[in-house]
Amino acid sequence: MADRLPRVAFFAATLAAGNGGIGRWARMVVRILARAEREGRIRAAVWSLLDTTPPIDLGLPVRVCRGSRMRFVAAATRAALTRTHFLYDQVGLARAHSTVPILRRPYLVLVHGVEVWENARPKSLRLAAKADALLTNTAYTRSRADALHGHFARARVCWLGTESNDSPPQSTRPAPPRVLLLSSVDVTYKGHSELVACWPRVVEAVPGARLTFAGKGPRLAELQARVAASPVAGAIDVLGFVPDVELDALYASASVFAMPSRGEGFGLVYIEAMRHGLPVVASIHDAAPEVNLDGVTGYNVDMDRPDELPARLIRLLSDPAHAAALGAAGRQRWEDHFRATAFERRLDADLSDFWTGAWSRDRG
C-alpha cells in the first residue's frame, strides 16, 4: 500500500547546472528517486540549500532554501515528522539531521573525498560516524578516509557516471594540437600551475600546441596572472566559465584532457573526457588511477617528478595515432562502466537496500 512505502527526503547543496561535479551527481540522484517513485517503490521529496530557482526537468519538484541554513534546518525538522529515510549529498549537510534527535530517522550520506580527508571538520566526521549508511564514490576515497579517521571501512562504493547516456560523434581532431583542462579553478591542487609551468617545454617540442583552461573559481585571477607571466602566454587560453551547451564543442577541439590533480575523490571530468574519446592525463596522488587506467586510457603521472607531466603531454601531442588509441580505449571504458544507465543501476540498488533495510558493507 502507498502509505507503507518508504518516504525518502533528499537534501542537496545545489542542483543547478554549471556548479560542478557534485551538482551533476545530485541531479542524477533526483532522477533515480523520481523513477523509483514512478515505479511505486517510494515517495520522495527534494530540498536544495543554495539554489534560488527550482530545477524543472528532474522528475520531482524541488524546494529551494535560497542559501538560508535556517530554512534548510527547518525543512529537515519538518521532514522528520513525515519522512522515513533521509539522504544527504554531502557530509556537512547532515548537520541538519542532528537538530531532530527525538524523531530518529535513518540517514545515508554521500561521500565525495576531500571533505573526509586530512582537513576534515570534526563535526562532519562525527556525523559520518553516526550515519546509518555511507556511500563513497571510489574505493580510494573510502580507504583514505578510513586510514585517517576510522568509521569508513563500512562504506559501500558506488562509482559515478556521466549525466548523459549518449556518446558524441567522433571526428578527426582538429589542428592545432590542444590540451584541455576543464574544472573549477584552484591553482593549489588541480594541476593548473604545473601545466602553465611545463608549457614552454611542450611548445618547444610540439610547435603550435595550445593549452586551454575552462572553468570558473575564486582563483581565476591568479591563474590569469600566472598565464600572463609565462614566456608562452600566447599559446595559452583562459576561457573562464563555459556554458553546458558549449561543452561538446570544447571537448571536440581538444587532443588531450589533462587534470593532474592531487585531490580528486573521483573526477567526473575524467569520464566526461572518456565519453568524448580523449586520452586523459591525471596523477597518481588521488583516486584517478581507479578511473583512468595508466597506459590504457591515458596516463597517471607522479607530480613529484616534474619531468613526467611534460613528457606524457609531448608523447600524446606528437603521436596522434597513439593518443587516438588511448582515447578509443577510454571511450570503451566509459561505455562499459560510466554511462548514465550504469551509474543509475548501481546507485538505485544501493539506495533501495538503504530504504528496505537490506544495507550491508560492500564486498567488492
Side-chain angles (χ1 to χ4, degrees):
M1 293 179 62
D3 61 344
R4 293 185 180 179
L5 292 176
R7 298 183 299 279
V8 180
F10 177 45
F11 291 86
T14 178
L15 296 161
N19 283 332
I22 292 178
R24 291 191 184 97
W25 155 263
R27 290 194 296 274
M28 296 179 78
V29 172
V30 176
R31 293 189 179 105
I32 291 168
L33 296 177
R35 186 179 68 187
E37 181 166 288
R38 289 195 302 272
E39 293 172 353
R41 294 186 283 134
I42 63 169
R43 294 288 179 263
V46 181
W47 287 263
S48 166
L49 170 59
L50 300 176
D51 297 332
T52 57
T53 303
I56 59 174
D57 59 345
L58 300 179
L60 287 173
V62 178
R63 300 168 176 87
V64 296
C65 297
R66 298 180 174 84
S68 170
R69 295 187 180 278
M70 185 177 297
R71 283 197 190 104
F72 194 75
V73 171
T77 304
R78 289 193 298 272
L81 299 173
T82 59
R83 299 286 151 180
T84 59
H85 295 77
F86 282 62
L87 311 177
Y88 295 97
D89 83 332
Q90 297 179 33
V91 174
L93 296 186
R95 295 178 197 174
H97 208 84
S98 63
T99 65
V100 285
I102 297 176
L103 298 173
R104 180 71 176 96
R105 299 289 184 260
Y107 69 97
L108 179 150
V109 176
L110 309 173
V111 180
H112 304 280
V114 66
E115 79 277 17
V116 293
W117 291 343
E118 282 79 0
N119 297 316
R121 296 179 178 179
K123 176 69 171 178
S124 295
L125 294 173
R126 289 194 294 271
L127 291 168
K130 292 179 180 179
D132 298 271
L134 295 171
L135 198 61
T136 65
N137 49 9
T138 55
Y140 177 90
T141 291
R142 177 175 69 184
S143 63
R144 182 167 171 176
D146 192 62
L148 288 165
H149 312 295
H151 306 301
F152 287 89
R154 65 191 176 95
R156 283 192 184 187
V157 174
C158 181
W159 279 352
L160 308 185
T162 57
E163 200 166 4
S164 172
N165 206 43
D166 299 324
S167 179
Q170 298 297 289
S171 60
T172 302
R173 296 292 170 186
R178 185 184 303 274
V179 171
L180 170 67
L181 196 172
L182 169 63
S183 78
S184 59
V185 178
D186 191 325
V187 297
T188 62
Y189 78 92
K190 289 279 189 179
H192 296 79
S193 298
E194 290 83 356
L195 284 166
V196 173
C198 80
W199 203 244
R201 181 173 166 183
V202 175
V203 171
E204 182 180 8
V206 188
R210 300 199 66 83
L211 173 61
T212 296
F213 295 113
K216 62 183 180 179
R219 293 181 178 264
L220 180 59
E222 184 177 345
L223 173 61
Q224 291 168 329
R226 287 175 183 263
V227 169
S230 170
V232 293
I236 305 175
D237 306 303
V238 182
L239 304 182
F241 173 72
V242 177
D244 284 356
V245 295
E246 298 177 13
L247 292 182
D248 281 348
L250 182 64
Y251 280 108
S253 73
S255 312
V256 175
F257 183 87
M259 191 175 75
S261 174
R262 291 176 179 267
E264 303 307 307
F266 183 90
L268 274 170
V269 286
Y270 298 141
I271 60 174
E272 192 62 50
M274 291 177 184
R275 185 173 80 90
H276 286 82
L278 289 175
V280 171
V281 176
S283 89
I284 65 170
H285 304 289
D286 55 19
E290 194 171 330
V291 178
N292 180 49
L293 303 183
D294 190 67
V296 178
T297 63
Y299 292 108
N300 301 310
V301 299
D302 185 343
M303 298 299 284
D304 295 326
R305 296 182 175 182
D307 289 343
E308 281 198 18
L309 177 59
R312 292 306 192 190
L313 295 176
I314 291 168
R315 171 75 195 283
L316 291 168
L317 294 177
S318 60
D319 189 348
H322 177 59
L326 296 183
R331 193 179 192 191
Q332 186 62 55
R333 181 162 170 78
W334 166 76
E335 289 181 352
D336 292 343
H337 300 288
F338 301 124
R339 295 171 70 97
T341 49
F343 167 66
E344 288 168 0
R345 283 194 298 270
R346 289 191 291 266
L347 185 58
D348 184 75
D350 288 330
L351 295 182
S352 294
D353 282 352
F354 170 62
W355 59 60
T356 61
W359 188 270
S360 64
R361 185 190 180 280
D362 174 54
R363 294 184 176 89

